[in-house]
Amino acid sequence: MSARRARLGVLVSGGGSNLQALLDAAGQADYPAEVACVLSNVPTAFALERARKAGVRAEVVDHKGFGSKADFEAAVLGVLADAGVEWVCLAGFMRLVSADFLKRFPGRVLNIHPSLLPAFPGLHAQKQALERGVKVAGCTVHYVDAGTDTGPIIAQAAVPVLPEDDEASLSARILAEEHRLYPLAVRLAVTGAVTLDGGRTKVDARVTGDGMALRSPGAPK
Ligand code: GAR
């Protein structure tokens, strides 16, 4: 008999390529999580199509239809509860979640952000990185806390910033790593291979292997 899989609720606002990475991972028999529900605050989000195509429940809760954030979040929480969601994955969800929301899923809300946090939180992270002139950029999966992109870091991936990069090319390079990193981080979280330790996390090294250094520019050939 196959092991029980954690039930994910994926919150989206846009294209949903990270959602797709999670759907693809969940399509593998040995992946320890399934996508129980996809919820978008944007009715036209392409992510909803991806969910439907994968046969996953797709719901719209448009924040514009609510008089307060509390009412919006109550509606979101209602959908997640109805779908039996145990873990919440923010995947390009462009709304901040409140402390009250987080209380409903303690230590079970994850986010992916397109920078090496704590650098460049908030909007337009890739543009911020280019403007600051960093030579290495990347992405981070972290537990969500009440701040903006401040929660304990689970996993990161780095990519070089090339001299000819613009926001689109750097975003695409980072996004390719996001698609690799988010399914990995979810696997670590739902299997208990990563645990919260105050403001940091402990990751079971047996799962991740030993460390590597990433350097930009790379060593000459
Ligand atoms: C991703 O790059 C994700 O990291 C970013 O939005 C994009 C969504 O793409 N999220 C944030 O900036 C959140 N602060 P997707 O809809 O194709 O997954």
Side-chain angles (χ1 to χ4, degrees), residues 12-20 47 50 91-94 111-115 121-126 139-140 148-149 171 174-175 178-179:
V12 296
S13 300
S17 67
N18 278 293
L19 163 68
Q20 190 66 56
R50 295 182 189 270
F93 183 64
M94 293 311 195
N111 181 44
I112 188 153
H113 182 75
S115 79
L123 294 175
H124 309 298
Q126 304 93 331
C139 52
T140 302
T148 301
D149 303 321
S171 298
I174 294 172
L175 199 57
E178 293 185 41
H179 300 159

Side-chain angles (χ1 to χ4, degrees), residues 21-185:
L22 292 172
L23 288 168
D24 291 348
Q28 294 158 18
D30 64 345
Y31 194 70
E34 63 186 309
V35 180
C37 176
V38 172
L39 186 150
S40 174
N41 67 309
V42 176
T44 55
F46 183 66
L48 293 162
E49 293 298 317
R50 295 182 189 270
R52 290 184 194 114
K53 200 170 167 207
V56 167
R57 177 172 172 177
E59 299 275 356
V60 174
V61 180
D62 187 347
H63 61 282
K64 290 184 185 148
F66 296 86
S68 71
K69 187 180 179 78
D71 288 349
F72 166 65
E73 287 193 342
V76 171
L77 286 165
V79 170
L80 298 179
D82 188 58
V85 164
E86 298 161 318
W87 290 78
V88 176
C89 296
L90 309 183
F93 183 64
M94 293 311 195
R95 311 294 300 172
L96 295 176
V97 296
S98 72
D100 283 340
F101 182 99
L102 295 173
K103 275 188 206 144
R104 295 285 290 271
F105 292 95
R108 290 180 167 228
V109 182
L110 310 184
N111 181 44
I112 188 153
H113 182 75
S115 79
L116 293 173
L117 290 171
F120 314 129
L123 294 175
H124 309 298
Q126 304 93 331
K127 186 160 174 269
Q128 293 184 57
L130 285 170
E131 286 174 356
R132 188 60 182 80
V134 297
K135 303 303 182 200
V136 176
C139 52
T140 302
V141 179
H142 63 94
Y143 288 105
V144 176
D145 66 9
T148 301
D149 303 321
T150 51
I153 290 168
I154 298 172
Q156 296 186 299
V159 299
V161 180
L162 304 180
E164 62 272 24
D165 269 334
D166 58 15
E167 196 180 344
S169 63
L170 180 59
S171 298
R173 192 175 308 119
I174 294 172
L175 199 57
E177 288 305 309
E178 293 185 41
H179 300 159
R180 195 182 59 79
L181 195 67
Y182 213 175
L184 167 68

